[in-house]
């Protein structure tokens, strides 16, 4: 039975919304283009005259202080009117930033990546492999700090047992896995469809916290993301990572960026619990929760491995921090684990960052990505905003 695709503004906002500095992007029907916005008291306030791109806005010195006073910004309408499509729609809250992701950063997902590799993309083999590997790897990896001396001892133990894996190398070794998830401007936002490539029969959502960095590497805040993943494709070969990760509508970010300030700090972010809900039109339901405190590498460490003297991002970057979720609840049959079906509703939420909601479709049935950087430049030029980009 088709699920109702209606969103209420209050359901996607943080619990402490009155104390949150929330930035986003919307498509305005009236202005015929994307706008950089701030959410205040349920209203969508236009910041585009201040900065025409989110990349430019985030370069503003002392941005959180600058935005404390919301007076003087044009009111584009209620948030609900954008969710209903009356005045426009929500977009992913980033534009020119590089979209990067860190993989295998939680012990539970490390185990599942090893299982994917051993199963060679076959979900039917995964249950047996999981039963054999869990006693060996599960307890050994709990609380292990990546790159530590203890991690090096575990690495040698597993090598001696013939169980070492490329996923464990990046999971507990000194170097994190950092890869490009999607191209700038390609991410979808809250309320959009997310895509599963039709070649995949074993796939899952990856609910994650996403760091927001300006060009000098300063972490300004965070949002939520769904790093949609094709487990069977990546499991066949790690060299297929790009094909498993970067597809039409396979990257969702939102609903809004929450800036760090006195009400929300990095210390607060490191204590959040990321909740996942999947509701299928077939009646299937799956829920789970991932504590950020279980991450094997700190957000600061991951950000430093992304942006440093060896690699810069002049337009800023966002970084998916990895997921603890590797769903194993059977759906199509005993031992086959979880996979998406068309029509699934996926909710990713935390009390402090709000709720990111998407519906699952095939990548070839999702809207094609057509509004890229050239289209943005043309649009801003037509609106006499190019100088603020």
């Amino acid at each position: 039975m088709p699920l109702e695709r209606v969103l209420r503004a209050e359901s996607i906002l943080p619990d402490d919304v009155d104390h949150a500095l929330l930035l986003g992007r919307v498509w305005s029907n009236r202005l015929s283009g994307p706008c950089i916005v701030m959410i205040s008291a349920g209203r969508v306030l236009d910041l585009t005259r201040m900065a025409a791109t989110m990349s430019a806005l985030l370069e503003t010195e002392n941005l959180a202080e600058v935005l404390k006073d919301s007076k003087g910004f044009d009111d584009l309408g209620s948030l609900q009117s954008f969710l209903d499509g009356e005045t426009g729609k929500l977009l992913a809250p980033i534009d020119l930033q590089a979209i990067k992701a860190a993989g295998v950063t939680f012990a539970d997902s490390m185990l599942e990546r090893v299982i994917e590799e051993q199963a060679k993309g076959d979900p039917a083999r995964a249950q047996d492999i999981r039963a054999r590997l869990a006693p060996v790897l599960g307890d050994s990896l709990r609380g292990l700090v990546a790159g530590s001396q203890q991690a090096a001892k575990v690495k040698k133990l597993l090598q001696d047992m013939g169980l070492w894996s490329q996923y464990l190398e990046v999971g507990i070794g000194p170097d994190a896995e950092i890869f490009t998830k999607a191209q700038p401007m390609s991410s979808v936002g809250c309320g959009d469809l997310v895509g599963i490539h039709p070649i995949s029969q074993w796939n899952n959502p990856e609910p994650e916290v996403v760091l927001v960095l300006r060009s000098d590497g300063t972490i300004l805040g965070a949002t939520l993301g769904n790093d949609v993943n094709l487990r069977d494709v990546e499991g066949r070969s790690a060299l297929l990572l790009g094909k498993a990760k970067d597809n039409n509508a396979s990257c969702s970010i939102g609903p809004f960026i929450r800036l760090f300030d006195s009400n929300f700090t990095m210390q607060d972010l490191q204590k959040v619990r990321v909740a996942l809900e999947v509701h299928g039109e077939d009646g299937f339901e799956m829920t789970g929760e991932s504590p950020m405190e279980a991450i094997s590498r700190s957000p600061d460490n991951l950000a430093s491995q992304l942006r440093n003297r060896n690699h810069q991002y002049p337009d800023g970057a966002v970084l998916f921090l990895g997921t603890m979720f590797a769903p194993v609840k059977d759906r199509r049959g005993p031992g086959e684990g979880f996979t998406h079906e068309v029509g699934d509703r996926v909710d990713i939420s935390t009390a402090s960052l709000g709720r990111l909601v998407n519906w699952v479709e095939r990548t070839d049935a999702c809207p094609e990505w057509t509004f890229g950087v050239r289209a943005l430049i043309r649009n801003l030029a037509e609106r006499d905003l190019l100088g603020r980009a």
Side-chain angles (χ1 to χ4, degrees), residues 276-343:
L276 169 69
E277 301 173 35
V278 177
H279 300 276
E281 293 181 345
D282 56 357
F284 178 88
E285 294 189 354
M286 181 179 67
T287 61
E289 191 174 65
S290 173
M292 273 292 292
E293 289 179 317
I295 198 167
S296 303
R297 302 180 194 269
S298 71
D300 285 327
N301 175 268
L302 290 169
S304 71
Q305 294 207 37
L306 168 72
R307 198 278 179 200
N308 48 60
R309 186 61 185 85
N310 300 301
H311 206 146
Q312 296 81 48
Y313 298 92
D315 297 312
V318 295
L319 176 62
F320 283 70
L321 292 181
T323 185
M324 186 175 181
F325 287 108
V328 297
K329 184 178 180 180
D330 291 339
R331 187 168 196 178
R332 292 179 176 173
E336 294 192 21
F338 170 82
T339 194
H340 270 308
E341 302 287 0
V342 169

Side-chain angles (χ1 to χ4, degrees), residues 76-256:
L76 296 178
S78 69
L79 174 56
Q80 189 61 53
S81 71
F82 280 91
L83 294 177
D84 293 341
E86 296 172 5
T87 50
K89 64 168 289 184
L90 289 191
L91 302 173
I94 61 170
D95 39 44
L96 302 181
Q97 291 92 338
I99 304 169
K100 311 293 283 190
V104 203
T105 54
F106 288 83
D108 280 7
S109 64
M110 268 187 258
L111 180 57
E112 284 300 313
R113 296 292 88 79
V114 174
I115 290 167
E116 283 174 10
E117 182 183 42
Q118 297 289 326
K120 303 300 181 186
D122 181 0
R125 296 180 56 196
Q127 188 175 31
D128 177 62
I129 297 168
R130 190 176 293 115
R132 288 190 287 113
L133 290 183
V136 179
L137 298 185
D139 291 339
S140 298
L141 295 176
R142 300 288 179 184
L144 198 63
V145 177
S148 66
Q149 289 186 346
Q150 182 61 27
K153 291 179 181 178
V154 172
K155 175 179 178 178
K156 186 175 187 311
L157 170 65
L158 293 170
Q159 285 175 324
D160 291 343
M161 297 176 67
L163 291 174
W164 188 246
S165 160
Q166 59 197 339
Y167 293 104
L168 288 164
E169 176 65 47
V170 297
I172 65 177
D175 299 311
E177 178 191 21
I178 305 287
F179 60 91
T180 297
K181 168 58 185 178
Q183 300 307 303
M185 299 287 295
S186 70
S187 296
V188 298
C190 184
D192 283 333
L193 297 175
V194 288
I196 301 294
H197 198 293
I199 66 172
S200 175
Q201 297 300 313
W202 186 26
N203 45 68
N204 62 271
E206 292 195 356
E208 305 188 24
V209 167
V210 182
L211 295 183
V212 178
L213 290 75
R214 71 183 185 194
S215 61
D216 65 359
T218 301
I219 304 171
L220 298 178
T223 184
L224 295 171
N226 186 353
D227 173 16
V228 181
N229 184 42
L230 311 181
R231 298 190 69 181
D232 46 2
V233 174
E234 184 180 354
R236 280 193 280 136
S237 169
L239 298 181
L240 292 174
L241 178 67
K243 197 173 190 69
K245 293 289 190 180
D246 187 4
N247 296 295
N248 189 33
S250 67
C251 178
S252 176
I253 298 177
F256 306 107

Side-chain angles (χ1 to χ4, degrees), residues 60-76:
T60 305
E61 287 296 324
N62 301 313
L63 180 58
E65 287 301 317
V66 171
L67 296 176
K68 288 290 187 182
D69 185 0
S70 61
K71 295 177 183 177
F73 298 124
D74 290 341
D75 189 331
L76 296 178

Side-chain angles (χ1 to χ4, degrees), residues 376-387:
L376 175 64
I377 291 172
R378 286 195 300 268
N379 184 278
L380 295 179
E382 289 169 358
R383 295 159 61 196
D384 196 27
L385 291 169
L386 200 52

